[in-house]
Amino acid sequence: MHRVYQDKLAAFTMTLKQFLMIITLTAGTSALAKDITPEKLYDFDHKVHYEQTKYNNGHYLLQVKSDSYEHFLQQSVFLLRHSAKLCQGRNPQLTILKGIQHFDRLPSTPRPYQSDLHVEVKCVNK
């Protein structure tokens, strides 16, 4: 009879430990998710709406909001200048994930809707 209670107590203790471990992991994951949320910003010089996600001091994700076709030049210049500013003296390495626009000076067909420009910025040492 005593052995039965010991087995039940051991099973309960094991279940309680697993439950506490799951709670701890869930709390840690939600804290990470809160830290890696995009920040919505606006650059007044280039008139660009963008979202910036900071993974760490040398790794960012920029999402430049799609705008008019004519505004593409300002968006490109903004991307280069802002990346240099984020890296603070280190070399910005840009990887374009999606959103490249095709440029035609005099297009013959209507331009389709362009998705936002997603760029990963990594700061590398010189």
Side-chain angles (χ1 to χ4, degrees):
M1 183 81 121
H2 185 61
R3 174 86 174 142
V4 173
Y5 290 119
Q6 282 182 334
D7 291 342
K8 286 186 179 184
L9 183 61
F12 175 73
T13 305
M14 183 64 115
T15 305
L16 185 60
K17 285 180 182 177
Q18 290 173 347
F19 176 73
L20 291 175
M21 189 183 321
I22 290 172
I23 294 285
T24 305
L25 289 174
T26 306
T29 338
S30 66
L32 285 176
K34 289 177 187 173
D35 292 342
I36 305 180
T37 54
E39 185 179 3
K40 294 182 181 185
L41 302 165
Y42 181 75
D43 185 273
F44 288 96
D45 293 333
H46 300 97
K47 298 181 177 85
V48 173
H49 290 275
Y50 66 101
E51 290 183 12
Q52 178 176 304
T53 306
K54 181 178 181 179
Y55 297 123
N56 60 42
N57 285 336
H59 190 197
Y60 300 88
L61 176 69
L62 297 177
Q63 181 178 345
V64 179
K65 297 299 180 182
S66 182
D67 202 344
S68 66
Y69 185 77
E70 295 78 18
H71 198 196
F72 180 70
L73 181 61
Q74 285 94 338
Q75 293 171 345
S76 303
V77 171
F78 158 77
L79 185 61
L80 294 173
R81 287 182 179 164
H82 190 66
S83 298
K85 180 178 150 186
L86 288 174
C87 289
Q88 302 172 357
R90 293 186 289 168
N91 290 331
Q93 177 183 353
L94 284 72
T95 304
I96 300 172
L97 304 174
K98 71 175 191 176
I100 296 288
Q101 294 183 15
H102 181 71
F103 182 79
D104 288 327
R105 187 179 183 111
L106 300 170
S108 58
T109 59
R111 294 181 183 99
Y113 171 77
Q114 296 293 327
S115 63
D116 296 341
L117 180 62
H118 294 253
V119 178
E120 181 181 36
V121 179
K122 289 183 182 176
C123 303
V124 295
N125 293 328
K126 293 183 177 182

